[in-house]
Amino acid sequence: MSDNHINKLVVTKDNRSAGLRNLQYISLSNVSIRDGSVLLRSLGSLPYLKRLDLSFNNFSGNVMSTPELHNFTNLEELTIRGASVHTSFLQSIAAFTSLERLIMEDCQLNGIIGTKDLSNLKNLKYLIMGGTNLNISVLQSIGRLTSLDSLSLSNCNLEGTFPNQGRILTYMSGVDLSCNKLTGEIPHQIGNLTRIHTLNLSYNNLTGSIPWTFSNLEQIESLDLSNNNLNGKIPSQIIKLYHLAVFSVAYNNLSGNTPERINQFGTFEESSYQGNPLLCGLPLPKSCGSPPLALKASTDNDEDINFIDMKIFYISFTASYIVVVLAIAIVLYVNPYWRRTWFYLVETWMTSCYYFIIDHLPKGFYH
């Protein structure tokens, strides 16, 4: 029924419509729905419906909880992509207690999700709301979903500190909070996510060091902490993550050695660590044994300075020598007494040298 103009469905209870009443999946994407409340009341006549797709619609009507909504006792999956949705619609969804998968990607949400708007979905296992602008308070509502297994809030414009209270993430196997504006440090309680397989915190403004408790995430297969402001050293205990297949801490302010290249960490390439100027060791081209660039530059400068000093020394020595010789010549020229004395000393020195040489040469050498 996609790509049509539908406002409501009329399903009677006679035998002619019995097949329609047994529908388990229906797609009403891009059908120009004008009043969402009327549509939901119509769909309430399909008690066996399990999967419903309402993507690319504009729910202009104010959807509130109605008795018909409680007929969705078997609905397991609701998909709403690229739609304009009022928060009152979420209040209606709260009546779908059997719902296991809620997908609301790239939606325009009008209003703020209350802390209890989603809390009645006790059987919800998968919540995907990527690309939908949300308030950080939505995490409080999500924290009440005791069966939630996978959460994706990527690119939701979430602002505030990383959640560290309650059981918001405790029992989940997949968490994607990438491409938001989360700040603060990653809490050490992150190590309590013993069931998690995928954790993506990339493209946020997280600071502080990487908690050593990450080593407790024994089941994790994908860990992405790239493009944040993390600093300090990468915990050495992290090499205990034997199931890790995807790992990235690129483009942070990390320092020190990269993890030892054993187990899974022997398979990660330079791209997993690049963008950290103070990080060294394989697979990065920078060796931890080489002197820091600043120290090397300082040494080169010292050598340059010493070389310049030697040149100045030679020039000044030569100039001084010439000045002394000229001064002696001028004095001898002006003062006849000193000139005669100088020549006498020179003659005496030359005579002494002559006889010294004669006395020490072999006798047959000068005959």
Side-chain angles (χ1 to χ4, degrees), residues 336-347:
Y337 174 76
W338 285 6
R339 185 169 61 250
R340 288 193 299 270
T341 303
W342 171 260
F343 288 147
Y344 174 77
L345 291 175
V346 171
E347 183 180 1

Side-chain angles (χ1 to χ4, degrees), residues 170-206:
T170 305
Y171 300 108
M172 298 184 191
S173 64
V175 176
D176 185 357
L177 297 176
S178 62
C179 302
N180 285 293
K181 300 177 182 178
L182 296 176
T183 59
E185 298 184 0
I186 302 175
H188 289 279
Q189 292 86 342
I190 201 81
N192 297 330
L193 308 181
T194 54
R195 292 179 49 192
I196 200 161
H197 291 266
T198 302
L199 178 61
N200 189 348
L201 303 178
S202 62
Y203 290 94
N204 279 285
N205 298 315
L206 299 174

